[in-house]
Structures are given as C-alpha cells and as structure tokens.
C-alpha cells in the first residue's frame, strides 16, 4: 500500500485469487476474481524511500483477511536515505524498526474473535451485533445469518503480532516506523515519560524536508505533544531516549477514543465530538513498553545547533499555491468529492463516497450522472483523471465521523483544510437542499446563509504535522473539507476508498480510472 504499481499488479479488490490447485507452487489458483491478471506481481520500486505496507484487498473481506494477519511492511530505501544513515542523521539497522499497531480481540481459548452473529458482543461496548444490525436484516436472511458491523474495535493492542510487547532500547535514538494496521481504531500517541523526545521525520510516502518536533523531551508533557495515526497511516518517528538511564521503563500510550469512532482531535489533544478518550488505566490506552538497557547507543543528528538538518533535499511542493486561491498551481483539474453516510435497505449504517459538485442531486446511489450525492462501488466510474495529469480533489466530509481517505497509485499532498457548514435535518446522510431549488450550491464564508446557498466553505484550519508530507492516506474530519493534489502517472484501473476497513468493505470505495487517450 502506497506503492507506485501498474494496475495489473496493484492487488485490486477484484483481482483476488485463492489457494493453488495443488498447494504451494501448484498449477495456478483454484478460483480467481473477475479482474485477476496474475498471481505473480511486478513492483518497480521506482519511488522514493518510504514505509510502505501490503495487505489483502479482496472485495468485501479485506477487513477479515487483514485481521487474520495478511499484512506486512514493505520498506523501501534509496541512495538519499542511505546517505542520511551514513552521516548519522537517521538511525539504521537495529535502531530502525517497523511497528504495526493493530487492535484485536480473543476468545477464552486464544482464538481471534470477530463479531458477526446476532448475539455476538461488541468489545468494550455493552452491546451485541443486534444493537447495530436492525431486525429487518435477520427477518430477511435468518436469525443465524452473519452481518457486517459498522466498525470494529478490539480490546487488546498488538504490535507486530505481539500483545503489549516490551522492547529493550539503549539510551539513544531509534526510528520507529509506525503503521496503524487497525480496522477502525485511531491512535493518539504519547510517551509516558516526557523526557523522551519524539520527532516526526516521514509520512506515508517518504521523508519530510526536515524533522518536526512532536515532543521536546523537556520532562513536561505539554498539550499538543502527540502523534495522530489513522487506520492505514504510517509515520516515521525518531524517539530519543538519551535523557533516560538503564533500568528506566517508558510506555507508549494512546489517548484516542476508547471504543467508538474518532471525530477529530483539537490541537491540545482533546478529542472532538464527545468521544471518550482512553487513558493509561485502560488496556487500550497502552500500546507497548520500552525498557532502557545499557549498551551501544546511536544519536541521530537531526539538528545542527538550532537548525533542522535537511532530510529530503529534493522534496517538491506539489501543493504549492502561490496566489493563495486554494488551488494548487500544479492542478489542471479540480474535483469536488463527498463522504456520505446513508443506510442500506435493512437500515444498516452504510458510509459511502460520492460526488460533491454543485448541481443536480443523486436520487440513486447507482446513478453516476448527477452532480452530487453518494455512489456505490458498482456505479459507473466518475473519477477518471487523464494520464499524466495533476488534479486537486476537494473532499467534503458530510458524516459525523472522521474517515481516512486512501488513494491507490498516487502519493499526494494536502493543499489546505477548511471548515464547512451544511444542514442535514432529515438525517439521510446527504446535505439538505436548503435553497429548495433542486440543486446543491456552495457559498463562501463562515456565516452560512442557507437561503442563499446549501453548503458553505469556511475558514482555513491548521494542518497537523502528519499531514504535511507525501501522503496516500489522510483523515478527513466531520464538517471539514480537505484538498489534495496528486499526479496520476500510470494508466488503468485503481480504486480510492476509506481506510477504515469495515467501511471499505461496506461500499466506501470507488473506482479510480486513469485514462490514456493516446
Ligand atoms: Cu470511513
């Protein structure tokens, strides 16, 4: 994931294949998906050094296969990265570690637990599947039918497949490449001892121009000293344990939502939307432990005096917007896209992607001809950039929850983030046509006049440091518009989707087709 890969080898939702006919090395798969090309893939590795990862992507069962363990790191290095390691700027070898954080749940006999049947409990909530899947579903398919649930939250935290592990470290610097490989859980990460300094050096697609100080290690836990990691996100962090001594222990803590969807976090670390935050007293408020031992230390030279050392010398600002009109100078086409939350025929929550252009409103999620409204995965492809073009996508979140939006093929940058205003008084997951003219219209400003326009685009919001690099996943908070800019440089079919795996599996995914007209 995050790889610059030809469509045929991208591992798309309908390129799935099953077990070989005669076991490993046998004569091809028993069953294949409609878009299957080959079970042998080619990865050109022609992008910059980055913390990529791979996971199963089969249509409708991605969440289950990732949960069962079909996921791993794919770490790319390049000459620039190796040179930084040689100069002692960045850690390498045993001081450079990948950490995949995933929440899971287990049965009493140690099997993986996943809620699917009517009376199955939902971890951490005083609820069962019956509380989130209406009876109409069971009336149709039977009381014993399994159903998707809106989100999954485990009650146990694993790092690289180990439950609440310990890592012995020496009193120096480490690079931790953190991946949130969870289904629905967002993590707000801090160190339990604020004498540990934390620096952000890279995002999904590679290194930042310079290290950004997340936690200054002065011994005081200040508000704002945290890292936010959404499902699908990677961050490259340098931890500095040099103020600690052998025998000290430090925990990596999580103050993200306990057992509910994430709705945003304020700059001071407070969760938005009344979400209840995990604390160090909660099992899911703990990720892992570091124990400082004596031994050889490495000290990353991220700073030269007060100046941050250049990490990505050729970092290009694809998102540059010199005239400040909110459109990246490089973009030749703008799309307005929406995150919607409707319900299926049984009343189950069904988040969807769709179009958010001004104009006519969709009456069916299968009808891709309208300008505005949610669309199912199977509706005709609407995001069709031209090969080689650079586009800006303004993504409007009309739902009550945050969604991490992931594009295949392209690493992109964030141009800007703005607050938006709209009404949804009928709670159908689609903004109301407040002007009553049968069309959706947009106004600009933070004092919405709903008689004049239906949706209002308000003030700029500050980007978090994790949003300032090359990204293939960014989270779009409720009542927010996030503008991305990407270059589409390989032809063919891809997808874009929410990286909450339960959403991706439940229609929050759309085709992305790069058209080669030559
Ligand atoms: Cu989502």
């Amino acid at each position: 994931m995050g790889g610059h890969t030809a469509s045929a080898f991208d591992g798309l939702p309908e390129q799935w294949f099953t077990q070989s006919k005669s076991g490993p090395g046998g004569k091809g798969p028993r069953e294949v998906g409609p878009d299957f090309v080959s079970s042998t893939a080619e990865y050109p590795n022609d992008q910059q050094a980055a913390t990529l990862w791979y996971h199963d992507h089969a249509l409708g069962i991605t969440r289950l296969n990732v949960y069962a363990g079909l996921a791993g790191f794919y770490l790319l290095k390049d000459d620039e990265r190796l040179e930084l390691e040689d100069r002692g700027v960045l850690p390498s070898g045993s001081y450079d570690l990948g950490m995949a954080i995933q929440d899971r749940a287990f049965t009493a006999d140690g099997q993986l637990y996943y809620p699917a049947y009517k009376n199955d409990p939902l971890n951490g909530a005083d609820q069962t599947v019956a509380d989130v899947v209406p009876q109409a579903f069971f009336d149709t398919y039977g009381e014993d039918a399994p159903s998707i649930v809106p989100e999954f939250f485990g009650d146990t935290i694993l790092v690289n497949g180990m439950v609440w592990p310990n890592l012995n470290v020496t009193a120096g610097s480490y690079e931790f490449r953190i991946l949130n490989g969870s289904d629905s859980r967002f993590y707000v990460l801090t160190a339990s001892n604020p004498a540990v300094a934390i620096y952000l050096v890279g995002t999904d697609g590679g290194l930042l121009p310079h290290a950004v100080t997340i936690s200054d290690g002065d011994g005081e836990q200040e508000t704002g000293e945290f890292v936010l990691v959404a499902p699908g996100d990677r961050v490259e962090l340098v931890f500095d344990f040099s103020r600690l001594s052998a025998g000290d222990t430090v925990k990596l803590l999580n103050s993200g939502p306990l057992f509910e969807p994430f709705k945003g976090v304020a700059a001071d670390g407070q969760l938005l939307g009344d979400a209840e935050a995990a604390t160090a007293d909660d099992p899911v408020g703990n990720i892992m432990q570091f124990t400082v031992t004596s031994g050889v230390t490495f000290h990353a030279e991220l700073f030269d005096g007060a100046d941050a050392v250049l990490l990505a010398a050729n970092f290009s600002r694809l998102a540059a917007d010199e005239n400040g009109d909110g459109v990246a100078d490089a973009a030749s086409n703008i799309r307005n896209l929406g995150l919607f939350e409707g319900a299926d025929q049984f009343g189950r929550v069904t988040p969807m992607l769709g179009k958010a252009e001004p104009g006519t409103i969709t009456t069916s999620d299968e009808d891709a001809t309208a300008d505005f409204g949610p669309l199912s995965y199977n509706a005709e492809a609407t995001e069709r950039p031209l090969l080689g073009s650079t586009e800006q996508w303004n993504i409007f979140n009309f739902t009550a929850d945050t969604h991490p939006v992931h594009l295949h093929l392209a690493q992109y940058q964030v141009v800007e983030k703005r607050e938006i205003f709209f009404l949804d008084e009928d709670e159908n997951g689609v903004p109301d046509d407040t002007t009553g003219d049968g069309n959706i219209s947009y106004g600009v400003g933070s004092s919405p006049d709903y008689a004049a326009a239906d949706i209002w685009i308000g003030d700029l919001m500050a980007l978090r440091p994790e949003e300032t690099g090359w990204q293939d996943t960014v989270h779009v908070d409720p009542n927010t518009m996030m503008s991305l800019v990407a270059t589409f440089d390989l032809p063919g079919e891809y997808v874009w989707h929410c990286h909450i795996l339960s959403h991706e599996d439940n229609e929050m995914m759309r085709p992305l087709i790069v058209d080669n007209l030559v």
Side-chain angles (χ1 to χ4, degrees):
M1 184 179 139
H4 184 246
T5 307
S7 168
F9 306 124
D10 196 52
L12 291 166
E14 295 178 275
Q15 290 176 337
W16 53 265
F17 57 96
T18 64
Q19 185 181 38
S20 296
K21 283 177 186 140
S22 49
K27 304 177 197 74
R30 289 169 205 256
E31 311 261 356
V32 299
D35 294 341
F36 174 79
V37 178
S38 169
S39 56
T40 303
E42 286 176 25
Y43 302 115
N45 300 326
D46 59 357
Q47 63 198 97
Q48 63 183 315
T51 303
L52 310 178
W53 66 302
Y54 63 96
H55 65 76
D56 176 70
H57 214 301
L59 187 65
I61 55 170
T62 296
R63 71 195 187 289
L64 304 175
N65 283 339
V66 172
Y67 188 67
L70 283 179
F73 278 109
Y74 191 104
L75 303 181
L76 269 186
K77 293 207 177 188
D78 60 12
D79 290 344
E80 192 176 23
R81 164 84 204 197
L82 294 173
E83 194 252 343
L84 290 165
E85 294 178 1
D86 286 347
R87 284 166 47 206
V89 175
L90 290 176
S92 62
S94 58
Y95 301 98
D96 174 11
L97 301 170
M99 294 180 177
I101 304 175
Q102 295 174 296
D103 60 336
R104 288 189 168 102
F106 297 91
T107 60
D109 62 353
Q111 301 295 307
L112 280 175
Y113 170 77
Y114 195 92
Y117 297 97
K118 190 173 181 182
N119 296 319
D120 285 351
L122 303 181
N123 298 101
D126 192 18
Q127 287 186 318
T128 65
V129 169
D131 291 302
V132 293
V133 176
Q135 182 58 35
F137 172 84
F138 301 105
D139 289 345
T140 303
Y141 289 109
E143 293 292 314
D144 295 333
S147 171
I148 195 162
V149 291
E151 285 90 19
F152 168 81
F153 299 101
D155 56 13
T156 307
I157 305 295
L158 289 81
V159 180
N160 295 346
M162 288 168 281
V163 174
W164 290 300
N166 176 76
L167 177 71
N168 288 342
V169 296
T170 54
S173 316
Y174 286 79
E175 180 166 337
F176 297 140
R177 301 162 181 266
I178 290 181
L179 156 68
N180 181 352
S182 307
D183 183 306
S184 305
R185 186 176 286 285
F186 285 64
Y187 299 94
V188 176
L189 300 176
T190 56
S192 64
N193 185 339
V196 177
I198 303 173
Y199 306 96
L200 178 72
V201 297
T203 55
D204 304 327
L207 291 170
L208 291 173
H210 305 93
V212 176
T213 301
I214 296 292
S215 191
D216 59 15
D218 67 356
E220 298 272 330
Q221 177 63 44
E222 281 121 19
T223 62
E225 291 188 321
F226 63 88
V227 182
L228 175 63
V229 202
D233 265 343
R234 287 89 67 210
V235 285
E236 297 182 7
L237 300 172
V238 172
F239 277 54
D240 178 0
F241 297 101
S242 63
R243 293 179 187 83
L244 277 60
S245 308
D248 289 348
T249 59
V250 183
K251 285 178 177 165
L252 183 61
L253 301 177
N254 165 40
S255 53
L258 260 179
F259 290 99
E260 62 184 301
F262 179 85
K263 299 172 191 299
V265 62
D268 66 0
Q270 288 295 310
L271 297 182
L272 303 179
D274 292 328
E276 189 181 352
T279 71
D281 295 331
D282 296 304
V284 297
N286 291 266
I287 306 291
M288 65 180 291
Q289 177 177 275
F290 306 103
T291 300
V292 181
T293 60
S294 56
V296 178
T297 57
F298 167 82
H299 294 279
E301 291 170 13
L302 295 171
F303 296 89
D304 181 5
D307 297 330
V309 171
L310 191 62
L311 298 177
N314 52 7
F315 188 94
S316 60
R317 284 299 304 166
L318 187 65
D321 174 18
E322 294 298 335
N323 63 3
D325 65 352
V327 179
D329 303 331
S332 59
N333 188 37
I334 302 173
R335 293 176 196 276
N336 295 298
L337 299 152
L339 313 180
F340 303 89
E341 184 167 294
D344 69 7
Q345 69 267 41
F346 307 114
R348 295 181 298 182
V349 169
T350 306
M352 292 177 123
L353 306 176
K355 291 162 77 176
E357 303 293 350
T360 57
I361 304 167
T362 334
T363 53
S364 154
D365 60 23
E366 301 294 330
D367 174 17
T369 61
D371 298 304
F372 188 97
L375 291 170
S376 72
Y377 173 67
N378 288 318
E380 189 185 347
T382 45
E383 286 70 68
R384 301 189 68 135
L386 290 177
L387 179 62
S389 69
T390 297
E391 294 200 346
Q392 176 160 325
W393 290 19
N394 300 327
I395 299 176
F396 294 78
N397 187 348
F398 301 121
T399 80
D401 299 335
T402 299
H403 300 271
V405 173
H406 172 57
L407 270 65
H408 284 225
L409 173 64
Q411 292 287 342
Y412 52 78
Q413 289 179 0
V414 177
V415 182
E416 62 173 33
K417 175 161 63 170
R418 286 183 182 272
E419 57 180 342
I420 60 170
F421 304 88
F422 61 93
L423 300 178
D424 183 15
E425 284 177 352
D426 57 2
E427 294 184 349
N428 70 343
V430 180
D432 296 338
D433 172 17
T434 56
T435 57
D437 63 355
N439 286 304
I440 287 292
S441 55
Y442 286 87
V444 174
S446 295
S447 306
D449 172 3
Y450 292 116
D454 307 307
I455 299 169
W456 288 76
I457 302 173
D459 290 340
L460 275 176
M461 303 170 80
L463 296 184
R464 291 197 48 77
E466 306 91 329
E467 297 165 339
T468 58
W470 287 104
Q471 323 284 147
D472 53 60
T473 307
V474 290
H475 62 279
V476 187
D477 290 332
N479 304 106
T480 299
M481 177 199 77
M482 197 77 145
S483 298
L484 322 173
V485 60
T487 300
F488 299 93
D489 63 355
L490 290 174
E493 293 188 27
Y494 294 91
V495 289
W496 67 290
H497 58 84
C498 176
H499 218 288
I500 290 176
L501 297 175
S502 288
H503 293 183
E504 170 186 346
D505 272 353
N506 191 19
E507 290 292 339
M508 204 168 190
M509 178 161 67
R510 289 283 294 150
L512 160 61
I513 299 181
V514 181
D515 281 320
N516 185 359
L517 299 183
V518 179

